[in-house]
Amino acid sequence: MTLVTKSTPRMALSRNQQGQISIFFSASLIVLISIVAFVINVGLFVKAKINLQNATDAAAFSGAAVQARQLTKIAYLNWEMRNIYKEWMYKYYVVGNLNIAAVANPTGSTPMDFRLEKDTNVLSGEENEDPYNFPAVCIHLAGSKTNICKRYAIPGLPEFGAYNLPGAEEASRAFIDSLIGTKINDCIDRTRLNALVTSTWAYNVLTSASEVDSTLAGQGPAILADRQGAWPKAVELAIRMRNLEYIVNRESQPGICIQTGNGTATNCTRSIGDVEDQKKAGNERVIKAFYAGYRNLGNHIDKEMKQTFTLTELPPKKIKLGGQNSASYLLVPQNRVTDYEKQYLDLKLMMVNYAVFYAAMIPRASSDTSGACDVSKVAIPVPGYPLGFYKNPDLVTYYAVRGEAEFVGMFNPFSNESIKLTAYAAAKPFGGRIGPMLFTQREGTDYFTGRTDNSKYRSVPYIASLDFVGTRIKGGNGATLPNGKFTPGTPLPINFDSDTPGYFWLKTPQSPVGGLGASSQGVQFGIPNMVYEFEDGFSNAGYQESGSQIHIIKPADGTGGDKNMGLFSRNQFKAFKGSIGGIVTPDALKQEIQRVRAATTYEAANYMIPTPFWFNKENDVDSFGWIAGGKTAPSPNGTSVNTVDIFAPLYRSGDQTDVLFETLDSVVATIFEFMRAQRNGIDKYKNSLNAGARAVYDMRLVVANSGAAGTVEKYAESAAGISDIDFNQPSTGDSDQIPKTCKSIAGQFLSFYYGDPALYPGQYVTNDGVSNGCPVPLGTMLRTYFASSTSASGFSPSHYRMEYSFKEDNMTKSPAGKLGILSAYMPGPWTGVGDDGRFTSPFPGSGISELMRRNFYSTKLVPLGALQGGPGFSESATNLVIYSEGNLVKQQSPDTTQTDFKNILDGSIDVNSIKY
C-alpha cells in the first residue's frame, strides 16, 4: 500500500518563495560585483592619477633643473665680468702708480694717497702740492736714470736775463732754447707713452703678430699688452650672456608627445622627435622634462599611459621691458628688440661711463723759468663699460607644466573610450645670485644712476667724481682757477660751466652715469673704483662715510677730505696690491693678476663662485666641482690656475640656431650701435681737450714777452700734442673743431674710437690714416678678432675661455672659512642638515656624511597657485628676492611696495579650478 502525503498550504508557499530568493541573490551578486569592480576601477584610476602626478612632478622638476644649470652658468660668467673689471683696476690703481710712495708701500690706516710729490720752485721757494687724490698712470721704465713720475712737475730752466756781451748772449740763448726744446719734446714723448699704456689696458684687442705694430699696443711699451683689454672683453662676454639669456627664454612649448598621429595621445601637436631634431639649445628644457615624465609612466610592457602621455609647458606672460635703451635690451641686436619678449628671465646690464687717467707732462712758462712741465692728469674715456648684470626681480624664473594621459582601466564601462587624466606641477630654481645691483635704471628712464635707496649707497665705492672749483693756479699768488678754465696741472677733461649739459664729471647721485639715454644732463663720467674685500667691522660704513651719496674728489692742500671709499681704503688697497714692487718682471705681473682674479669672501657673498673638482672632492661636498681636472701647482703667491671653455655662443656657428646674433656682422653692428650711442660723451671729451690745447697755445704770449722767445713754437707744438686744431680760428669755435692728425692725444683717440668707416665716416677720422701713424680703429680690430680662429687667439664663436684662479687663503673669514666660497642656498636643520651644512646619516654605523653647502642653483617643487603673484620685492626695505621660502617683511609704503611679479602664469589658465 502506497503512503500518500498530504500537502498543506504552508508547504506550498515555501516552495514558491525559494525562486524569489534566488532572483534576489542573483541581483545582489551583480550589485556586489559591480561595487567591487567600481572600487577596483576607482583604485586603478587613483593609482593612474598618482602615477601621472608623479610623472608631471618629475617633468616640472627636470625642466626647472635645466633652468637652474643655465642660471648657474650665467651667474658664473657674471662673476667673470667682475674678474675682468678687477684685472683692469689692478693695472690702473697698482701697476700704473708704483712710482707713488703710498702705492709702493701702503702702510698705515689713513686713506690712500695717490698724490705726486710736491713741486718746489728753486728760485721762489714756492711749493705746489698735487691737489687731486686719484690715480693716474705714469710708467717709469727700468733703465731710465731719472724717475720723472714721482713729482707734480718737472722743473724748468731759469731765465738769467741779458748778458750785455756782444755775441755771447745769442750763443747762450740758442743753447738754452735748445735745452728747453729738448725738455718739451721729452715731456711730449712721455705723455704719449703713458697715454698708449692706459689705452691698451682699457681697449687692447688681441691681434696677429703681423698687425700688432699698427695697433695702440704696438706703438707703446709691451706692458701686459698680451692680454685683452677690459672694454672689448667685457662687451664680448656681455653679448655671450645675452645669448644665454635668450636660450633660457625659449618660448614655452605646447602639446609634446612621443609620436603624433597614433590616435591615442590627446592635445598633442608635436612629437618629441621633432623637438629633438631642432638645433636649439633651449629645447633641452622641454626634452628633459618630457622624458622625465614619460619614463615615470609604466615600462616596456605596461605602456598604455606612456604612449598617450602629452606634456604642455604652461606659459608665463610674455613681457616687453622697454625699448633699445632699456637695461633689459642693451647689447641686443636692434632688429630683435621689438620681437624679443621675455618669459622666464630678464637680465639688466649695468652700463657705466668710466674714465681712467694718465700723467701728461704739459709745458708751462713764466717770466723766470722756461721748459717746466706740469703733470696734468688726463683722462681716457671708457663709455658704456659693461660692469655686470643683475637679475630683474620683476621676472621670476620658474617652470610649470601640464601632463595628460589616456587611461582605460580594468572595468571601464565605456569599452571604446579611454578617460583623459590631467595633472599639473611647478618647480623653480632657488638659492643662487646674479648680481649685485650696483647701479640702477629707474622706471621710465633710459639711463643709469647711483643707488641711494634706504641709505644703502651701493654705487659709492664703485665710482668717484671730480670737482675742480678752488684749484690753485701755479705761480698765481694764491689765485684759484675759474670754473670751466684750464691751466697746466689741472686734470682734463674739465667741467665747462655751471650749466648741467656742460658737466663731464658726475655731478649728483641721480646724474646719468650710464645707459644709452642721457636725459637733459647729457652723459656724465666717473673714475672707476671697487670694493675688493671685507674689512674688519665691515658694514654699510665699509661702503661709504655716513650719509655720503657720491664720492666727489675736490682739490685740497695736504690730505684733507680724503675718504675710505673702495680702493681708496688703505686696508683694502694693501690686500689688493699684494707683494708686487721694485723692478717688476712680466712673470711677476702675470702671477699677481692671476692672484687678484681669485675669489674673495666679499665676492662669495655677492656673486656665485665656481669651484674646481678637486676642492669639492677634498672637502666631501655632495656635488662635482665645475672646473674639471686636478689641482695645479700654485704660483709663489699661492694661486692655482685652470683654463675652462664654457658654452656661451657669441653668434650662430655650426648647427646652433637659437641665438640672438645670427652672424658675425650682426655682432659688430650691435657693438657699433652701442658705440654710436656714446657720441655725447665722446664730444664732451673732444671739446675739453680742445679747450686745454688752446690754454697751452696761449702761453706763447707769456713766452714771447720773456727771454725765451725762441721757444714759442715749442709751446705751439705742445698744444698741438693735446689737440691739433686750427689755433688761428677764433676760440669760440673750438668745440666744433676736429683734430687734424693722430699726432695729438685727442686726434689719436677719436680716430681709434670712431675711425672704422662703418661708424662716422669723414667726421672723426683724420686724414692721416694707419699708414701715417693713426692706430687701427677699435671696430676694425674687433671685427678681425671675432672672425679669427681658436688657434690664432683663443677665441671661439661657441665657447668662452675662462682663466679660473683659485686661492684658498682668500677664504679665511669665520665661521665658514675656506668653505665660504660655497655661498648659494644650503639645506638646514629643517631638512636634516646641521647648521654647518653637513648631512650625517641617522642610521647607526652607516658612516654616511656629506657636506651640503652649495655654489649653484638648487631646484624645488612649488605650489602652482604661488605663480599667480608674489609677495613683492622692495628694494628699499629688505633686498630679498621676490619669491622666498621665508617670510618677507614688506615695506608698507604703497609707492615702494611691489605687489606682483610680471611674468605670472598666462591668464588663460584657471589655476583656482585645479584640485591637487
Side-chain angles (χ1 to χ4, degrees):
M1 180 174 139
T2 305
L3 294 176
V4 178
T5 303
K6 185 177 182 180
S7 175
T8 65
R10 180 173 295 184
M11 293 175 62
L13 180 61
S14 298
R15 286 193 295 267
N16 293 336
Q17 286 176 336
Q18 288 178 355
Q20 293 177 3
I21 291 173
S22 299
I23 295 172
F24 178 77
F25 179 75
S26 299
S28 299
L29 187 61
I30 293 173
V31 172
L32 180 62
I33 293 173
S34 299
I35 291 174
V36 171
F38 178 78
V39 170
I40 293 174
N41 218 38
V42 168
L44 291 174
F45 274 97
V46 169
K47 180 177 179 294
K49 179 61 185 295
I50 292 173
N51 289 342
L52 180 62
Q53 185 63 60
N54 289 339
T56 306
D57 287 346
F61 191 92
S62 182
V66 171
Q67 291 178 328
R69 290 193 295 274
Q70 293 168 332
L71 291 177
T72 297
K73 182 186 299 182
I74 290 172
Y76 290 162
L77 292 175
N78 198 52
W79 174 67
E80 170 67 0
M81 292 190 77
R82 174 172 167 88
N83 288 332
I84 295 169
Y85 184 69
K86 281 196 299 183
E87 178 178 330
W88 184 31
M89 290 301 95
Y90 191 80
K91 296 171 183 175
Y92 175 52
Y93 273 83
V94 179
V95 180
N97 290 273
L98 285 173
N99 53 86
I100 304 294
V103 172
N105 186 26
T107 57
S109 58
T110 59
M112 277 298 297
D113 188 0
F114 295 99
R115 294 177 178 85
L116 298 164
E117 295 178 7
K118 293 179 181 179
D119 166 36
T120 303
N121 188 320
V122 296
L123 297 179
S124 66
E126 180 187 14
E127 289 187 340
N128 291 289
E129 293 187 358
D130 180 359
Y132 295 102
N133 185 20
F134 59 84
V137 174
C138 191
I139 301 299
H140 173 61
L141 299 176
S144 300
K145 294 182 179 180
T146 304
N147 185 354
I148 64 173
C149 286
K150 289 186 174 182
R151 295 175 59 87
Y152 185 41
I154 301 170
L157 298 176
E159 295 291 345
F160 296 105
Y163 294 98
N164 295 322
L165 294 173
E169 183 173 351
E170 289 79 3
S172 176
R173 185 71 260 166
F175 176 68
I176 292 174
D177 286 350
S178 176
L179 292 178
I180 293 172
T182 300
K183 285 179 92 286
I184 292 175
N185 286 335
D186 288 343
C187 289
I188 294 172
D189 291 342
R190 181 56 64 93
T191 297
R192 183 175 178 84
L193 181 150
N194 293 336
L196 287 169
V197 171
T198 309
S199 299
T200 297
W201 292 345
Y203 288 112
N204 188 38
V205 178
L206 296 177
T207 187
S208 64
S210 61
E211 298 174 327
V212 71
D213 289 342
S214 57
T215 65
L216 280 178
Q219 297 179 23
I223 303 175
L224 295 171
D226 60 335
R227 301 182 70 87
Q228 192 88 323
W231 188 88
K233 194 168 186 179
V235 168
E236 175 193 340
L237 186 52
I239 289 177
R240 291 179 185 272
M241 291 175 67
R242 280 294 187 211
N243 281 324
L244 292 177
E245 176 200 44
Y246 186 70
I247 290 172
V248 175
N249 280 310
R250 173 73 170 116
E251 188 175 9
S252 56
Q253 302 295 300
I256 306 297
C257 64
I258 194 65
Q259 184 179 356
T260 59
N262 59 7
T264 55
T266 62
N267 298 327
C268 179
T269 58
R270 292 183 65 193
S271 72
I272 190 64
D274 290 340
V275 177
E276 291 174 300
D277 289 340
Q278 279 188 315
K279 305 302 182 182
K280 293 182 181 292
N283 283 347
E284 180 190 7
R285 183 190 68 218
V286 66
I287 291 171
K288 291 189 173 177
F290 175 82
Y291 280 118
Y294 176 79
R295 289 166 181 159
N296 269 276
L297 289 171
N299 50 47
H300 67 287
I301 297 175
D302 179 15
K303 55 184 179 179
E304 174 187 354
M305 294 181 68
K306 290 169 66 78
Q307 293 298 108
T308 61
F309 177 64
T310 301
L311 184 75
T312 296
E313 296 181 321
L314 301 181
K317 280 188 174 181
K318 294 181 179 179
I319 305 298
K320 189 69 173 63
L321 299 151
Q324 181 78 23
N325 291 356
S326 166
S328 299
Y329 292 96
L330 293 175
L331 288 179
V332 169
Q334 198 170 29
N335 65 334
R336 300 298 302 271
V337 171
T338 302
D339 64 349
Y340 182 22
E341 295 177 305
K342 302 184 181 183
Q343 280 191 313
Y344 296 101
L345 174 66
D346 177 37
L347 298 179
K348 288 184 175 289
L349 177 61
M350 293 178 290
M351 193 180 82
V352 186
N353 296 324
Y354 283 134
V356 288
F357 283 87
Y358 63 90
M361 285 69 174
I362 298 179
R364 168 175 55 87
S366 65
S367 59
D368 54 0
T369 61
S370 295
C373 292
D374 288 320
V375 175
S376 283
K377 299 178 179 181
V378 178
I380 290 178
V382 187
Y385 181 81
L387 187 61
F389 289 92
Y390 66 88
K391 189 175 182 293
N392 183 4
D394 282 338
L395 264 67
V396 172
T397 304
Y398 64 87
Y399 187 64
V401 294
R402 180 178 65 236
E404 299 170 282
E406 303 287 339
F407 185 69
V408 176
M410 185 178 296
F411 301 104
N412 191 345
F414 310 103
S415 58
N416 295 325
E417 294 184 16
S418 59
I419 296 178
K420 185 180 74 173
L421 301 179
T422 303
Y424 295 83
K428 75 177 301 296
F430 272 92
R433 57 182 67 83
I434 300 174
M437 187 192 300
L438 299 174
F439 295 87
T440 186
Q441 187 182 75
R442 303 188 186 280
E443 192 76 25
T445 65
D446 55 4
Y447 56 87
F448 278 90
T449 64
R451 285 187 62 185
T452 58
D453 46 284
N454 199 26
S455 300
K456 298 173 183 176
Y457 306 126
R458 302 299 192 197
S459 311
V460 175
Y462 281 87
I463 197 164
S465 186
L466 292 176
D467 183 357
F468 301 142
V469 176
T471 301
R472 290 174 54 192
I473 300 175
K474 284 191 177 183
N477 297 320
T480 58
L481 188 69
N483 193 30
K485 299 298 182 180
F486 172 80
T487 187
T490 306
L492 282 172
I494 57 176
N495 287 328
F496 282 111
D497 48 46
S498 58
D499 294 335
T500 304
Y503 274 83
F504 182 89
W505 299 104
L506 189 64
K507 185 179 181 183
T508 70
Q510 301 308 314
S511 296
V513 72
L516 299 188
S519 74
S520 61
Q521 303 180 40
V523 172
Q524 295 181 18
F525 287 76
I527 302 172
N529 193 5
M530 65 174 289
V531 176
Y532 174 64
E533 180 58 293
F534 288 123
E535 298 183 45
D536 292 337
F538 195 90
S539 63
N540 271 353
Y543 286 96
Q544 75 288 317
E545 293 181 349
S546 178
S548 295
Q549 297 187 19
I550 185 173
H551 182 193
I552 298 180
I553 300 170
K554 299 182 179 181
D557 293 329
T559 57
D562 295 344
K563 297 179 179 179
N564 280 310
M565 301 282 192
L567 294 178
F568 285 81
S569 162
R570 200 172 292 252
N571 293 332
Q572 285 208 40
F573 185 86
K574 184 177 181 180
F576 188 61
K577 173 183 176 289
S579 60
I580 195 170
I583 297 178
V584 181
T585 64
D587 285 342
L589 277 179
K590 180 179 180 181
Q591 290 171 13
E592 286 301 299
I593 285 180
Q594 290 172 343
R595 175 193 61 82
V596 85
R597 286 175 58 91
T600 64
T601 52
Y602 169 82
E603 290 167 43
N606 288 278
Y607 296 85
M608 195 149 61
I609 316 298
T611 48
F613 172 77
W614 64 262
F615 177 87
N616 287 30
K617 183 178 180 181
E618 186 178 280
N619 291 282
D620 292 326
V621 179
D622 74 330
S623 62
F624 293 103
W626 190 66
I627 310 295
K631 186 175 184 179
T632 60
S635 62
N637 59 31
T639 306
S640 60
V641 181
N642 293 85
T643 300
V644 58
D645 291 325
I646 309 163
F647 174 73
L650 184 69
Y651 55 88
R652 181 175 177 176
S653 61
D655 54 7
Q656 174 69 37
T657 61
D658 59 338
V659 290
L660 283 168
F661 298 85
E662 290 289 328
T663 63
L664 165 64
D665 290 339
S666 66
V667 173
V668 175
T670 299
I671 294 176
F672 282 4
E673 284 301 317
F674 193 65
M675 295 171 67
R676 288 190 190 98
Q678 319 305 327
R679 183 171 183 173
N680 178 279
I682 297 298
D683 281 344
K684 280 188 177 183
Y685 180 72
K686 168 185 68 71
N687 297 344
S688 190
L689 290 187
N690 288 353
R694 174 69 69 172
V696 174
Y697 184 81
D698 289 344
M699 288 179 190
R700 297 165 69 255
L701 301 176
V702 177
V703 176
N705 295 326
S706 70
T711 62
V712 167
E713 292 308 315
K714 288 297 180 183
Y715 285 89
E717 290 178 17
S718 181
I722 299 173
S723 184
D724 53 346
I725 57 177
D726 186 353
F727 295 108
N728 294 320
Q729 298 292 328
S731 61
T732 53
D734 285 351
S735 61
D736 297 325
Q737 290 202 55
I738 301 294
K740 292 181 289 187
T741 72
C742 290
K743 296 177 182 178
S744 67
I745 296 169
Q748 185 176 69
F749 179 78
L750 291 173
S751 185
F752 171 72
Y753 194 84
Y754 277 145
D756 190 280
L759 284 165
Y760 290 112
Q763 295 185 47
Y764 291 95
V765 183
T766 69
N767 295 324
D768 290 18
V770 175
S771 60
N772 291 322
C774 287
V776 178
L778 174 61
T780 304
M781 288 197 297
L782 286 172
R783 186 186 289 108
T784 303
Y785 171 73
F786 292 149
S788 66
S789 65
T790 54
S791 60
S793 61
F795 169 81
S796 166
S798 60
H799 288 73
Y800 176 83
R801 179 162 293 177
M802 177 192 285
E803 181 185 87
Y804 176 80
S805 296
F806 186 85
K807 184 174 172 61
E808 287 188 79
D809 291 347
N810 284 1
M811 298 293 159
T812 58
K813 304 292 183 181
S814 60
K818 64 182 180 180
L819 298 179
I821 197 171
L822 306 169
S823 59
Y825 170 77
M826 177 183 71
W830 290 103
T831 50
V833 178
D835 290 330
D836 61 352
R838 183 166 291 278
F839 168 78
T840 302
S841 174
F843 299 103
S846 68
I848 297 176
S849 178
E850 287 184 309
L851 188 66
M852 307 297 288
R853 298 185 69 94
R854 298 174 182 175
N855 59 339
F856 52 85
Y857 275 84
S858 307
T859 308
K860 286 194 169 190
L861 294 170
V862 296
L864 201 65
L867 304 179
Q868 290 296 98
F873 169 80
S874 175
E875 180 180 306
S876 300
T878 63
N879 280 322
L880 292 176
V881 293
I882 193 169
Y883 189 100
S884 173
E885 293 180 296
N887 292 324
L888 279 176
V889 179
K890 290 195 292 183
Q891 173 74 19
Q892 297 302 313
S893 176
D895 59 341
T896 58
T897 298
Q898 185 175 318
T899 57
D900 293 299
F901 52 85
K902 294 182 177 180
N903 62 329
I904 62 175
L905 280 174
D906 188 273
S908 62
I909 301 169
D910 184 10
V911 174
N912 294 324
S913 66
I914 299 173
K915 305 300 181 183
Y916 294 96

